[in-house]
Amino acid sequence: MTETLIKVDLNQSAYDNDMVHNRWHPDIPMVAWVKPGDDFIVETYDWTGGFIKNNDSADDVRDIDLSIVHFLSGPIGVKGAEPGDLLVVDLLDIGAMPDSQWGFNGFFSKNNGGGFLTDHFPQAQKSIWDFKGMYTSSRHIPGVNFAGLIHPGLIGCLPDPKLLETWNTREQALIDTNPTRVPALAVPPFAATAHMGRLTGDAKAAAAATGARTVPPREHGGNCDIKDLSRGSKIYFPVYVEGGGLSMGDLHFSQGDGEITFCGAIEMAGWVHLKVEVLKGGMAKYGIKNPIFKPSPVTPNYKDYLIFEGISVDEYGGQHYLDVHIAYRQACLNAIEYLKKFGYSGAQAYSILGTAPVQGHISGVVDIPNACATLWLPTEIFDFDINPTADGPTKFIDGSIDMPLSPDL
Amino acid sequence: MTETLIKVDLNQSAYDNDMVHNRWHPDIPMVAWVKPGDDFIVETYDWTGGFIKNNDSADDVRDIDLSIVHFLSGPIGVKGAEPGDLLVVDLLDIGAMPDSQWGFNGFFSKNNGGGFLTDHFPQAQKSIWDFKGMYTSSRHIPGVNFAGLIHPGLIGCLPDPKLLETWNTREQALIDTNPTRVPALAVPPFAATAHMGRLTGDAKAAAAATGARTVPPREHGGNCDIKDLSRGSKIYFPVYVEGGGLSMGDLHFSQGDGEITFCGAIEMAGWVHLKVEVLKGGMAKYGIKNPIFKPSPVTPNYKDYLIFEGISVDEYGGQHYLDVHIAYRQACLNAIEYLKKFGYSGAQAYSILGTAPVQGHISGVVDIPNACATLWLPTEIFDFDINPTADGPTKFIDGSIDMPLSPDL
Amino acid sequence: MTETLIKVDLNQSAYDNDMVHNRWHPDIPMVAWVKPGDDFIVETYDWTGGFIKNNDSADDVRDIDLSIVHFLSGPIGVKGAEPGDLLVVDLLDIGAMPDSQWGFNGFFSKNNGGGFLTDHFPQAQKSIWDFKGMYTSSRHIPGVNFAGLIHPGLIGCLPDPKLLETWNTREQALIDTNPTRVPALAVPPFAATAHMGRLTGDAKAAAAATGARTVPPREHGGNCDIKDLSRGSKIYFPVYVEGGGLSMGDLHFSQGDGEITFCGAIEMAGWVHLKVEVLKGGMAKYGIKNPIFKPSPVTPNYKDYLIFEGISVDEYGGQHYLDVHIAYRQACLNAIEYLKKFGYSGAQAYSILGTAPVQGHISGVVDIPNACATLWLPTEIFDFDINPTADGPTKFIDGSIDMPLSPDL
Amino acid sequence: MTETLIKVDLNQSAYDNDMVHNRWHPDIPMVAWVKPGDDFIVETYDWTGGFIKNNDSADDVRDIDLSIVHFLSGPIGVKGAEPGDLLVVDLLDIGAMPDSQWGFNGFFSKNNGGGFLTDHFPQAQKSIWDFKGMYTSSRHIPGVNFAGLIHPGLIGCLPDPKLLETWNTREQALIDTNPTRVPALAVPPFAATAHMGRLTGDAKAAAAATGARTVPPREHGGNCDIKDLSRGSKIYFPVYVEGGGLSMGDLHFSQGDGEITFCGAIEMAGWVHLKVEVLKGGMAKYGIKNPIFKPSPVTPNYKDYLIFEGISVDEYGGQHYLDVHIAYRQACLNAIEYLKKFGYSGAQAYSILGTAPVQGHISGVVDIPNACATLWLPTEIFDFDINPTADGPTKFIDGSIDMPLSPDL
């Protein structure tokens, strides 16, 4: 049987598991070593370490201290991996914990991180999704059921000191442009809630003081939230330290492009079965700055889409210059308005876009001044027909069920 | 036989064809009327009206006056279509002109419009692509051959006066923030080169003075440059004026997401076979602001991709806040560096990304401060294997051929 | 412009076009020569040479003399191709004649060839299909509309004398087992209606006496009726004579696996744009006996199927041993019964299975005594939902329209 | 957590598990009852009940007594299901046993059942396949690795007495035409090795005497070996007895169309997670004789194929009339010859066709006298390029490894 290299106990605090960490720092000790060619299993907490519960209240989404995230399993050393190499990782399989066949999705309060559409959904809301084999559905959002595109939201290797310094410097510079903004522009190191794995004492304190937060994707990959890094895919990660130091977590049962709800995809605890190889000197050979990857041969094969366009004129009429972020937001808002015609609340529609295998495509980015983005909504995930017809939409959803909401205190 | 409603003669100036126009204005007269359920053919010039030639010099790309674009065929009235309806357009088929089986791609000089990567490719360059049935290849870019994903870059209905006013106002406001920027932030109405179809005299002069330029995508669709609006797709367009007034042009034999080279996709003259229907009151029924569409059942089925990630840290190390535009630029630059390892010049690699059925996906847009975007490069379009291997890349391309370049005068 | 190597005039008898032939024989002279790497266009008659008309009577299907088929365009010589080579043919594109945008499908009378289900549909029937760009529909079969998977039903190289002798000998041996069977077991050479291309006089008479009929697929390919040899595919043909001698015809706008209606797919006149290369000594190098091919990257992408199973127990309860032919017939009959519940006549349902991009898969062939075959019916080709529901089927088709039938005289 | 309704212990004889049976008979008692809408898990033995071992000898494949197969888990009753209904089964997920991550493939001796190509491979041979997450590879067949298309080879409801009688009568009639044939034409009831679940005593003896063997697919589905009945698919089964009586087994990690090696696919022990619903009166409503199904949205997405044609002329030159079985055999033999050019033994090539997600399509079945079938070999499952090139094939496989063979004693 394949060895489980890192185990997690969902009844134990993630802080008490020394094979887990929640900051990026080169000094975090490897918790295990493997050889090129090895395959092994890694268990992970959900990104919040179990803070969000399977219940019908959004209080936990409202109250969470986001400085604790993300709880990652690792780092794992690969013998022979050296700076400049590429660590080739096959995601052989991924699953939820057998006794934890559910996940959560939600929106943070605007005062606690917000989300892509936080101006429209400023309060904490939550939906719970049950897994039935390959499929998921939610008791808070009727009429939708789909096969998961399971993936780790966060995976990558440890930075070296120079790269870490680069991250901290450039992000602090951005924060300094508007340090009191809500939500924040970026999040700096924060020692109080840092979990530095097997580091202890002064070494831990020193590393915690500068350990990079795990929130953004960066050169090493990290929190990319790319739904297509799914089970079956192959990823080439830059290596910065001896052994690489591969860590991962933030597993998603499914997610739409953009992870627009921020809290987040369908978030779950689970396990990853991986194989590792080393491509010596691969960074220079192939000119690699960020990870590259090849998609899985096994992904949900939804083919019938209804596609929504958005341009970089914001919802208040403001004109922006080739801004894909705003264009995609418009496409999302357009899709939400459309789904409301079938009886969904805005929050339910927003959650569907954040969890289902929705695609976000970049269309024109050169036709001044408007960028164009498209949101691809798979029609087959609905229990009813959402295509436009001459008769107009039927309200299949009667509005009797909605997502729990917890107003700011 | 299906009627050809609008014909174009590639040997005649587009300005002399009164079924063509290059501005958006509600006063442009319909050139033909059809009934719901009708199918018909529309011929179009290439977007420049034939200015770019099938030769080995980029002088025309350097010298073009971009105020002349885009030459559109139409507008076509559909009986019974009224403001608030949706015009349902089936793109039954699209093709190049039988005696013009080629297209062009290029980058404008930074002083004449530039492109997505104009800081890296500031001079005019051009590649010519020959069509062999469903496939295309270029004498200026060896080693690549692919099936076209043919589509109109530009299609939509006439605006009403109020919508036109909205466009002109908001775009001028943006221009006013930096009126001397090179390239410009947006382009205002410009009467001198306006072609207002069948309008003449004072009516023409009046409309030309306020006719919106055709460059950006807007609420009505327009220049969306969405490669997936391809032959076989079905589009639902908002209707603003009696009859709709459907115009189209800027046909592309193929294009990558973003149309990053700006000049442009593989641009061609050709024809579109369409069918139209009217969905009465569809805008309100379905909450439609921008067009929606359903993809074609018949598109190139490339499945093996090499995927490049980019984050919103620019190529000079600057940190940007959740900026998908910059993230996608990094993914593009990463892909170009990769392709150069196989012997391509940067310009050739850039052109491949602009022309092949490359996908641009929006990945994380909430993980402050970095957006993440991915560029999906189909590996099957190359004559050789571009996947990473332990041996490192082989220079299949010997560098003896490059794209013509015309320095600024 | 690409050269049209062979032209056909639909108003002229195919017998009067000396670049056409309807038998296989090594003596048929090449009508044109090309070089490896050349691309060119070949026009073809429909397989009957225009006998079947675009009208509402099946008399022509009943009355046709099937000894005249198939009218093929060619043979074309490729310089340097020698016996033992593989002729590599790229089907760059295929289309209907611009002024002939329609095709036919039907069942022959059991007394004149029959079809796969001739015991159930023993009389001549016909449906006419109109082409609208990529799509087709029939005035005789409401409620169905689909994108064509265009392909040549028949394509291959000339046999050498030894191979021809093998064909004639083994087929005659089969005929001799039951020479009076209706329908016949096989069809022998028949000089009276032979068209031997540019052969004349005694040479023609001699060749016509032994020229193999074009009906069956054989080692060289020939009348394979493989729907997946579609536009965009690449085929490797065995070469038996100097120059190869490539001929083709029997173009299909669309066809289901099996071409079960025999008359046939959606049959049309049209053109093929090809490119040829030679792979020297390829037959021995790769152990090739029959053609091999690679599918097109561009095919209708129907993904939602309703799948019918059949086993090798015939419709009268008879048990057969691992007989895939019978298993597939049962799957077809099962699908027809299903479609009748929605209001189709049996003939209409049969025609849909013969024309739409239906897949026929071989499932178990070892589980004695029953073979299992499956028929994959794409649900998206229907204007209505054909999936099973608790409410049972709705008769969307009211039975007011049926296919013309012409009883035997 | 989802309930596991039936458990199996791989260290216990299948005969000792009374929730297992190996014959079809209406008297076999239900081992559990569920309600429409329930989901639950069923564990199963491999089809041989553990007879074939994970080792490097084919002795077990040679020596197996095939009268013991297939060991099925069930029957399960569904409340409210009555004769004439359809039992709607969602295969929510399927997997191997956690501590048994391997499977076997092989060919029986011609004297013990043989296989599709038994004349060419008359001796017992075996290959063992290891599972690594979604992927599998074999230590006996180098150079090939693919994602599994996991499915139950055998699933269906209990027959009623009349249907059972029909089966036994028609199969005995076939046996009687050649009762001493090797391999046999069909297999009759055989009490000595019957496992009748919870039946005991006289009732067991009576049922064992007439219980239908589980080998062939029949009207109820049963041993269809349809690779596309994979995890995620939805099946509509005819119901013949009160409660339906659903049984299943013969799990396959992967299989090529036809299961041509007979022993069998990649055979494994494992579990199935199902959901059941009842469609009242569905058989008559939809005219259902055999099961129908809808494919999974999640299946291996191999898209680049090399396709081999075969016609119904056998490998000894014999001409057969529209015989798809023989045509497919030729396509298989052609593919084997091709793969041998890359260094594989014939047995290894045969095993690849039996295990990988190979497609078998029925092409022309009306072009007398030759049927045409195609075998679609996915090229991406190989570690090297198997496409034809001008240089001819490279022997990537050095022949140092072959499959164990056990000659008849």
Side-chain angles (χ1 to χ4, degrees), chain A residues 234-253:
Chain A
K234 179 193 286 283
I235 322 171
Y236 301 80
F237 287 106
V239 172
Y240 309 100
V241 303
E242 296 290 321
L246 183 71
S247 292
M248 69 208 69
D250 189 21
L251 300 191
H252 298 162
F253 190 83

mmCIF file of all heavy atoms in Angstrom, chain A residues 234-253:
data_model
loop_
_atom_site.group_PDB
_atom_site.id
_atom_site.type_symbol
_atom_site.label_atom_id
_atom_site.label_comp_id
_atom_site.label_asym_id
_atom_site.label_seq_id
_atom_site.Cartn_x
_atom_site.Cartn_y
_atom_site.Cartn_z
ATOM 1 N N LYS A 234 -0.217 17.210 -14.139
ATOM 2 C CA LYS A 234 1.228 17.127 -13.908
ATOM 3 C C LYS A 234 1.767 18.548 -13.859
ATOM 4 O O LYS A 234 1.548 19.327 -14.781
ATOM 5 C CB LYS A 234 1.893 16.358 -15.052
ATOM 6 C CG LYS A 234 3.400 16.207 -14.965
ATOM 7 C CD LYS A 234 4.004 15.706 -16.280
ATOM 8 C CE LYS A 234 3.759 14.250 -16.550
ATOM 9 N NZ LYS A 234 4.603 13.324 -15.795
ATOM 10 N N ILE A 235 2.504 18.876 -12.781
ATOM 11 C CA ILE A 235 2.956 20.240 -12.574
ATOM 12 C C ILE A 235 4.472 20.278 -12.460
ATOM 13 O O ILE A 235 5.076 19.381 -11.878
ATOM 14 C CB ILE A 235 2.344 20.840 -11.284
ATOM 15 C CG1 ILE A 235 0.899 20.375 -11.115
ATOM 16 C CG2 ILE A 235 2.433 22.355 -11.300
ATOM 17 C CD1 ILE A 235 0.284 20.739 -9.784
ATOM 18 N N TYR A 236 5.056 21.328 -13.021
ATOM 19 C CA TYR A 236 6.507 21.552 -12.960
ATOM 20 C C TYR A 236 6.756 22.772 -12.078
ATOM 21 O O TYR A 236 6.506 23.902 -12.500
ATOM 22 C CB TYR A 236 7.056 21.804 -14.363
ATOM 23 C CG TYR A 236 6.811 20.678 -15.339
ATOM 24 C CD1 TYR A 236 5.565 20.513 -15.969
ATOM 25 C CD2 TYR A 236 7.805 19.754 -15.643
ATOM 26 C CE1 TYR A 236 5.343 19.473 -16.853
ATOM 27 C CE2 TYR A 236 7.581 18.703 -16.539
ATOM 28 C CZ TYR A 236 6.345 18.573 -17.136
ATOM 29 O OH TYR A 236 6.120 17.543 -18.021
ATOM 30 N N PHE A 237 7.260 22.525 -10.857
ATOM 31 C CA PHE A 237 7.467 23.608 -9.897
ATOM 32 C C PHE A 237 8.934 24.045 -9.863
ATOM 33 O O PHE A 237 9.827 23.196 -9.780
ATOM 34 C CB PHE A 237 7.108 23.144 -8.476
ATOM 35 C CG PHE A 237 5.651 22.987 -8.228
ATOM 36 C CD1 PHE A 237 5.080 21.727 -8.140
ATOM 37 C CD2 PHE A 237 4.832 24.100 -8.058
ATOM 38 C CE1 PHE A 237 3.725 21.573 -7.903
ATOM 39 C CE2 PHE A 237 3.470 23.953 -7.813
ATOM 40 C CZ PHE A 237 2.916 22.687 -7.741
ATOM 41 N N PRO A 238 9.185 25.350 -9.840
ATOM 42 C CA PRO A 238 10.552 25.827 -9.594
ATOM 43 C C PRO A 238 11.025 25.397 -8.202
ATOM 44 O O PRO A 238 10.234 25.396 -7.246
ATOM 45 C CB PRO A 238 10.414 27.356 -9.654
ATOM 46 C CG PRO A 238 9.139 27.625 -10.370
ATOM 47 C CD PRO A 238 8.246 26.454 -10.078
ATOM 48 N N VAL A 239 12.301 25.039 -8.104
ATOM 49 C CA VAL A 239 12.922 24.663 -6.825
ATOM 50 C C VAL A 239 13.889 25.777 -6.422
ATOM 51 O O VAL A 239 14.701 26.225 -7.236
ATOM 52 C CB VAL A 239 13.665 23.318 -6.959
ATOM 53 C CG1 VAL A 239 14.489 23.020 -5.695
ATOM 54 C CG2 VAL A 239 12.679 22.190 -7.235
ATOM 55 N N TYR A 240 13.780 26.208 -5.139
ATOM 56 C CA TYR A 240 14.624 27.308 -4.649
ATOM 57 C C TYR A 240 15.560 26.887 -3.531
ATOM 58 O O TYR A 240 16.541 27.559 -3.252
ATOM 59 C CB TYR A 240 13.749 28.456 -4.135
ATOM 60 C CG TYR A 240 12.694 28.898 -5.116
ATOM 61 C CD1 TYR A 240 11.386 28.467 -4.987
ATOM 62 C CD2 TYR A 240 13.023 29.738 -6.188
ATOM 63 C CE1 TYR A 240 10.415 28.853 -5.892
ATOM 64 C CE2 TYR A 240 12.062 30.127 -7.104
ATOM 65 C CZ TYR A 240 10.748 29.679 -6.946
ATOM 66 O OH TYR A 240 9.806 30.061 -7.850
ATOM 67 N N VAL A 241 15.201 25.783 -2.820
ATOM 68 C CA VAL A 241 16.037 25.332 -1.695
ATOM 69 C C VAL A 241 16.374 23.856 -1.892
ATOM 70 O O VAL A 241 15.686 23.140 -2.628
ATOM 71 C CB VAL A 241 15.313 25.527 -0.331
ATOM 72 C CG1 VAL A 241 14.906 26.988 -0.140
ATOM 73 C CG2 VAL A 241 14.109 24.597 -0.195
ATOM 74 N N GLU A 242 17.406 23.397 -1.224
ATOM 75 C CA GLU A 242 17.774 21.986 -1.295
ATOM 76 C C GLU A 242 16.585 21.120 -0.884
ATOM 77 O O GLU A 242 16.014 21.309 0.189
ATOM 78 C CB GLU A 242 18.935 21.691 -0.339
ATOM 79 C CG GLU A 242 20.227 22.402 -0.666
ATOM 80 C CD GLU A 242 20.895 21.878 -1.932
ATOM 81 O OE1 GLU A 242 20.874 20.645 -2.150
ATOM 82 O OE2 GLU A 242 21.428 22.713 -2.708
ATOM 83 N N GLY A 243 16.201 20.192 -1.729
ATOM 84 C CA GLY A 243 15.085 19.296 -1.410
ATOM 85 C C GLY A 243 13.733 19.829 -1.855
ATOM 86 O O GLY A 243 12.749 19.118 -1.867
ATOM 87 N N GLY A 244 13.704 21.066 -2.257
ATOM 88 C CA GLY A 244 12.443 21.632 -2.754
ATOM 89 C C GLY A 244 11.533 22.125 -1.648
ATOM 90 O O GLY A 244 11.238 23.296 -1.534
ATOM 91 N N GLY A 245 11.102 21.203 -0.802
ATOM 92 C CA GLY A 245 10.191 21.581 0.283
ATOM 93 C C GLY A 245 8.780 21.807 -0.229
ATOM 94 O O GLY A 245 8.261 22.923 -0.217
ATOM 95 N N LEU A 246 8.154 20.729 -0.644
ATOM 96 C CA LEU A 246 6.807 20.828 -1.228
ATOM 97 C C LEU A 246 5.748 20.792 -0.139
ATOM 98 O O LEU A 246 5.728 19.888 0.693
ATOM 99 C CB LEU A 246 6.595 19.667 -2.199
ATOM 100 C CG LEU A 246 5.273 19.656 -2.961
ATOM 101 C CD1 LEU A 246 5.241 20.756 -4.009
ATOM 102 C CD2 LEU A 246 5.051 18.288 -3.622
ATOM 103 N N SER A 247 4.867 21.775 -0.160
ATOM 104 C CA SER A 247 3.735 21.815 0.767
ATOM 105 C C SER A 247 2.447 22.025 -0.016
ATOM 106 O O SER A 247 2.473 22.567 -1.130
ATOM 107 C CB SER A 247 3.903 22.960 1.774
ATOM 108 O OG SER A 247 4.975 22.714 2.649
ATOM 109 N N MET A 248 1.354 21.613 0.608
ATOM 110 C CA MET A 248 0.076 21.750 -0.108
ATOM 111 C C MET A 248 -1.073 21.788 0.886
ATOM 112 O O MET A 248 -0.949 21.370 2.034
ATOM 113 C CB MET A 248 -0.122 20.569 -1.048
ATOM 114 C CG MET A 248 -0.375 19.252 -0.345
ATOM 115 S SD MET A 248 0.181 17.833 -1.322
ATOM 116 C CE MET A 248 1.965 18.042 -1.267
ATOM 117 N N GLY A 249 -2.208 22.256 0.415
ATOM 118 C CA GLY A 249 -3.406 22.297 1.242
ATOM 119 C C GLY A 249 -4.506 23.012 0.497
ATOM 120 O O GLY A 249 -4.469 23.113 -0.739
ATOM 121 N N ASP A 250 -5.516 23.485 1.245
ATOM 122 C CA ASP A 250 -6.605 24.248 0.641
ATOM 123 C C ASP A 250 -7.296 23.433 -0.443
ATOM 124 O O ASP A 250 -7.548 23.920 -1.550
ATOM 125 C CB ASP A 250 -6.023 25.557 0.066
ATOM 126 C CG ASP A 250 -7.090 26.534 -0.391
ATOM 127 O OD1 ASP A 250 -8.248 26.430 0.068
ATOM 128 O OD2 ASP A 250 -6.769 27.406 -1.216
ATOM 129 N N LEU A 251 -7.616 22.179 -0.130
ATOM 130 C CA LEU A 251 -8.242 21.310 -1.144
ATOM 131 C C LEU A 251 -9.646 21.806 -1.483
ATOM 132 O O LEU A 251 -10.393 22.247 -0.617
ATOM 133 C CB LEU A 251 -8.309 19.867 -0.638
ATOM 134 C CG LEU A 251 -6.976 19.204 -0.299
ATOM 135 C CD1 LEU A 251 -7.168 17.709 -0.066
ATOM 136 C CD2 LEU A 251 -5.940 19.435 -1.392
ATOM 137 N N HIS A 252 -9.968 21.692 -2.749
ATOM 138 C CA HIS A 252 -11.284 22.096 -3.257
ATOM 139 C C HIS A 252 -11.959 20.912 -3.922
ATOM 140 O O HIS A 252 -11.376 20.284 -4.796
ATOM 141 C CB HIS A 252 -11.129 23.205 -4.306
ATOM 142 C CG HIS A 252 -10.526 24.462 -3.798
ATOM 143 N ND1 HIS A 252 -9.987 25.423 -4.621
ATOM 144 C CD2 HIS A 252 -10.372 24.936 -2.539
ATOM 145 C CE1 HIS A 252 -9.535 26.436 -3.900
ATOM 146 N NE2 HIS A 252 -9.745 26.165 -2.632
ATOM 147 N N PHE A 253 -13.193 20.648 -3.549
ATOM 148 C CA PHE A 253 -13.962 19.625 -4.270
ATOM 149 C C PHE A 253 -14.325 20.139 -5.657
ATOM 150 O O PHE A 253 -14.384 19.366 -6.623
ATOM 151 C CB PHE A 253 -15.223 19.257 -3.495
ATOM 152 C CG PHE A 253 -15.928 18.059 -4.055
ATOM 153 C CD1 PHE A 253 -15.514 16.781 -3.705
ATOM 154 C CD2 PHE A 253 -16.987 18.189 -4.935
ATOM 155 C CE1 PHE A 253 -16.147 15.653 -4.235
ATOM 156 C CE2 PHE A 253 -17.619 17.070 -5.474
ATOM 157 C CZ PHE A 253 -17.200 15.804 -5.120
#
